[in-house]
Structures are given as C-alpha cells and as structure tokens.
Amino acid sequence: MAKLLYIVMSLFLFGCSSSPITEKDGAPVPESLIINKDIVVNNSGMVPVTFLRDTGPGSACSHTVYVDGKKAFNIKDGQYIRIYLQNGDHYFRLTSGYGLCPNVDISQQTIISNSEQKFRIMYQSNSGTINLIRFQ
C-alpha cells in the first residue's frame, strides 16, 4: 500500500508542471475552434500576435480567449494560433472552467506595437493557476 501511495504521489509531483511549446512542435488551432474568423486574416498594417498553449496538466481543459471583449477562439493542450490586430490598445481575456477544469478568468490589457508579440498560456504548479504570459 505504501509503495502504491509513493508511486501516485511521485506522478502527481512530477506531472504538475506544464511544458512550453513552439510553433514547430505544436499543432495549429483547428478552424473549428476559431470563433472570430476575421482575426486570422492578415490585412495590410496588421501586427501578428501568437498564443501558444503549454502541454501537460489540464490537457483535457479547453481555454477560451476573448479579444477586445469578443469571443475569439478556443485553444487546447499543445496548440497555437497566430492572429492579426491593428496597432494600439487591446484587451485579452482567458477563461476556463469546464468539467474538472479550474474556474479561471484572467484579463490583460496590452499595447500592440509594430512588432510581433507572443503569449504563453501556462499552468503554474506552485500556485495551481493558469496564466497568460507575454514573452515577446
């Protein structure tokens, strides 16, 4: 019994950190999960903004991302999406909370400038939360 408990606890401890992905090793968000199709069209003067969802804990959870108050896309474990926005202030909101997934509602205001920006959707094992982190 003690051996079984040790194995379960080891799996829990080692399985709590999410792993970042890149566009090379991730899968693109399928079209069926893109709610606002206009955001994936690269019109003149638009700036690319990429969202990458880590792999690992919470893989059964789907997260929804809102852009400027409008539902934009759902993203699952190991997926990424590149959207295109005008320069200026934008508001991102990340939600989750379906089934066994934790209830998450994170908002972030950011200024999109002339260069590409990337955001990581990650699970932080030390706090048990899901976060939206700008890394480029």
Side-chain angles (χ1 to χ4, degrees), residues 9-18 55-58 123 125:
M9 290 302 291
S10 295
L11 290 173
F12 177 75
L13 290 174
F14 292 114
C16 288
S17 298
S18 62
T55 60
Y123 175 79
S125 59

mmCIF file of all heavy atoms in Angstrom, residues 9-18 55-58 123 125:
data_model
loop_
_atom_site.group_PDB
_atom_site.id
_atom_site.type_symbol
_atom_site.label_atom_id
_atom_site.label_comp_id
_atom_site.label_asym_id
_atom_site.label_seq_id
_atom_site.Cartn_x
_atom_site.Cartn_y
_atom_site.Cartn_z
ATOM 1 N N MET A 9 1.947 9.642 -5.576
ATOM 2 C CA MET A 9 2.470 10.958 -5.192
ATOM 3 C C MET A 9 3.587 11.409 -6.126
ATOM 4 O O MET A 9 3.677 12.581 -6.483
ATOM 5 C CB MET A 9 2.970 10.937 -3.732
ATOM 6 C CG MET A 9 1.849 10.824 -2.724
ATOM 7 S SD MET A 9 0.642 12.156 -2.838
ATOM 8 C CE MET A 9 1.615 13.517 -2.278
ATOM 9 N N SER A 10 4.440 10.488 -6.563
ATOM 10 C CA SER A 10 5.520 10.827 -7.499
ATOM 11 C C SER A 10 4.950 11.297 -8.822
ATOM 12 O O SER A 10 5.414 12.293 -9.383
ATOM 13 C CB SER A 10 6.435 9.615 -7.739
ATOM 14 O OG SER A 10 7.093 9.268 -6.548
ATOM 15 N N LEU A 11 3.947 10.592 -9.317
ATOM 16 C CA LEU A 11 3.317 11.013 -10.566
ATOM 17 C C LEU A 11 2.675 12.381 -10.416
ATOM 18 O O LEU A 11 2.759 13.221 -11.312
ATOM 19 C CB LEU A 11 2.267 9.988 -11.004
ATOM 20 C CG LEU A 11 2.812 8.652 -11.494
ATOM 21 C CD1 LEU A 11 1.665 7.677 -11.724
ATOM 22 C CD2 LEU A 11 3.636 8.831 -12.750
ATOM 23 N N PHE A 12 2.057 12.614 -9.284
ATOM 24 C CA PHE A 12 1.416 13.906 -9.046
ATOM 25 C C PHE A 12 2.453 15.030 -9.017
ATOM 26 O O PHE A 12 2.296 16.056 -9.643
ATOM 27 C CB PHE A 12 0.625 13.875 -7.737
ATOM 28 C CG PHE A 12 0.000 15.188 -7.400
ATOM 29 C CD1 PHE A 12 -1.123 15.623 -8.074
ATOM 30 C CD2 PHE A 12 0.543 16.003 -6.418
ATOM 31 C CE1 PHE A 12 -1.713 16.848 -7.778
ATOM 32 C CE2 PHE A 12 -0.026 17.221 -6.118
ATOM 33 C CZ PHE A 12 -1.160 17.639 -6.797
ATOM 34 N N LEU A 13 3.530 14.831 -8.294
ATOM 35 C CA LEU A 13 4.541 15.876 -8.160
ATOM 36 C C LEU A 13 5.254 16.162 -9.472
ATOM 37 O O LEU A 13 5.523 17.302 -9.811
ATOM 38 C CB LEU A 13 5.557 15.497 -7.080
ATOM 39 C CG LEU A 13 5.032 15.523 -5.647
ATOM 40 C CD1 LEU A 13 6.083 14.998 -4.686
ATOM 41 C CD2 LEU A 13 4.613 16.928 -5.247
ATOM 42 N N PHE A 14 5.578 15.125 -10.207
ATOM 43 C CA PHE A 14 6.312 15.329 -11.455
ATOM 44 C C PHE A 14 5.392 15.736 -12.594
ATOM 45 O O PHE A 14 5.848 16.250 -13.593
ATOM 46 C CB PHE A 14 7.104 14.080 -11.833
ATOM 47 C CG PHE A 14 8.237 13.806 -10.881
ATOM 48 C CD1 PHE A 14 8.226 12.687 -10.078
ATOM 49 C CD2 PHE A 14 9.290 14.690 -10.764
ATOM 50 C CE1 PHE A 14 9.262 12.437 -9.204
ATOM 51 C CE2 PHE A 14 10.327 14.454 -9.880
ATOM 52 C CZ PHE A 14 10.312 13.316 -9.091
ATOM 53 N N GLY A 15 4.111 15.518 -12.447
ATOM 54 C CA GLY A 15 3.176 15.833 -13.517
ATOM 55 C C GLY A 15 2.502 17.181 -13.370
ATOM 56 O O GLY A 15 1.561 17.472 -14.063
ATOM 57 N N CYS A 16 2.984 18.025 -12.479
ATOM 58 C CA CYS A 16 2.295 19.276 -12.198
ATOM 59 C C CYS A 16 2.790 20.476 -12.998
ATOM 60 O O CYS A 16 2.209 21.530 -12.904
ATOM 61 C CB CYS A 16 2.404 19.607 -10.713
ATOM 62 S SG CYS A 16 1.373 18.528 -9.716
ATOM 63 N N SER A 17 3.870 20.339 -13.699
ATOM 64 C CA SER A 17 4.396 21.477 -14.444
ATOM 65 C C SER A 17 4.048 21.336 -15.910
ATOM 66 O O SER A 17 4.160 20.267 -16.487
ATOM 67 C CB SER A 17 5.913 21.547 -14.293
ATOM 68 O OG SER A 17 6.251 21.745 -12.952
ATOM 69 N N SER A 18 3.633 22.446 -16.497
ATOM 70 C CA SER A 18 3.355 22.415 -17.928
ATOM 71 C C SER A 18 4.645 22.689 -18.686
ATOM 72 O O SER A 18 5.594 23.262 -18.152
ATOM 73 C CB SER A 18 2.268 23.427 -18.289
ATOM 74 O OG SER A 18 2.678 24.738 -17.983
ATOM 75 N N THR A 55 1.790 22.171 -22.925
ATOM 76 C CA THR A 55 1.308 20.796 -22.768
ATOM 77 C C THR A 55 1.487 20.404 -21.305
ATOM 78 O O THR A 55 2.301 20.976 -20.598
ATOM 79 C CB THR A 55 2.095 19.811 -23.658
ATOM 80 O OG1 THR A 55 3.477 19.858 -23.293
ATOM 81 C CG2 THR A 55 1.950 20.149 -25.122
ATOM 82 N N GLY A 56 0.723 19.437 -20.870
ATOM 83 C CA GLY A 56 0.877 18.950 -19.503
ATOM 84 C C GLY A 56 -0.428 19.006 -18.742
ATOM 85 O O GLY A 56 -1.488 18.732 -19.295
ATOM 86 N N PRO A 57 -0.357 19.400 -17.452
ATOM 87 C CA PRO A 57 -1.563 19.409 -16.609
ATOM 88 C C PRO A 57 -2.687 20.234 -17.242
ATOM 89 O O PRO A 57 -2.440 21.254 -17.869
ATOM 90 C CB PRO A 57 -1.081 20.072 -15.319
ATOM 91 C CG PRO A 57 0.378 19.832 -15.294
ATOM 92 C CD PRO A 57 0.816 19.844 -16.732
ATOM 93 N N GLY A 58 -3.885 19.739 -17.063
ATOM 94 C CA GLY A 58 -5.038 20.444 -17.610
ATOM 95 C C GLY A 58 -5.243 20.184 -19.087
ATOM 96 O O GLY A 58 -5.967 20.912 -19.759
ATOM 97 N N TYR A 123 0.435 26.600 -17.088
ATOM 98 C CA TYR A 123 -0.022 26.161 -15.777
ATOM 99 C C TYR A 123 1.137 26.331 -14.806
ATOM 100 O O TYR A 123 2.238 25.857 -15.074
ATOM 101 C CB TYR A 123 -0.457 24.706 -15.826
ATOM 102 C CG TYR A 123 -0.830 24.139 -14.480
ATOM 103 C CD1 TYR A 123 -2.065 24.415 -13.915
ATOM 104 C CD2 TYR A 123 0.056 23.330 -13.775
ATOM 105 C CE1 TYR A 123 -2.410 23.900 -12.671
ATOM 106 C CE2 TYR A 123 -0.289 22.815 -12.539
ATOM 107 C CZ TYR A 123 -1.519 23.099 -12.001
ATOM 108 O OH TYR A 123 -1.858 22.592 -10.769
ATOM 109 N N SER A 125 2.580 25.263 -11.400
ATOM 110 C CA SER A 125 2.362 24.229 -10.401
ATOM 111 C C SER A 125 2.474 24.752 -8.975
ATOM 112 O O SER A 125 1.820 24.235 -8.077
ATOM 113 C CB SER A 125 3.345 23.077 -10.615
ATOM 114 O OG SER A 125 4.676 23.547 -10.529
#
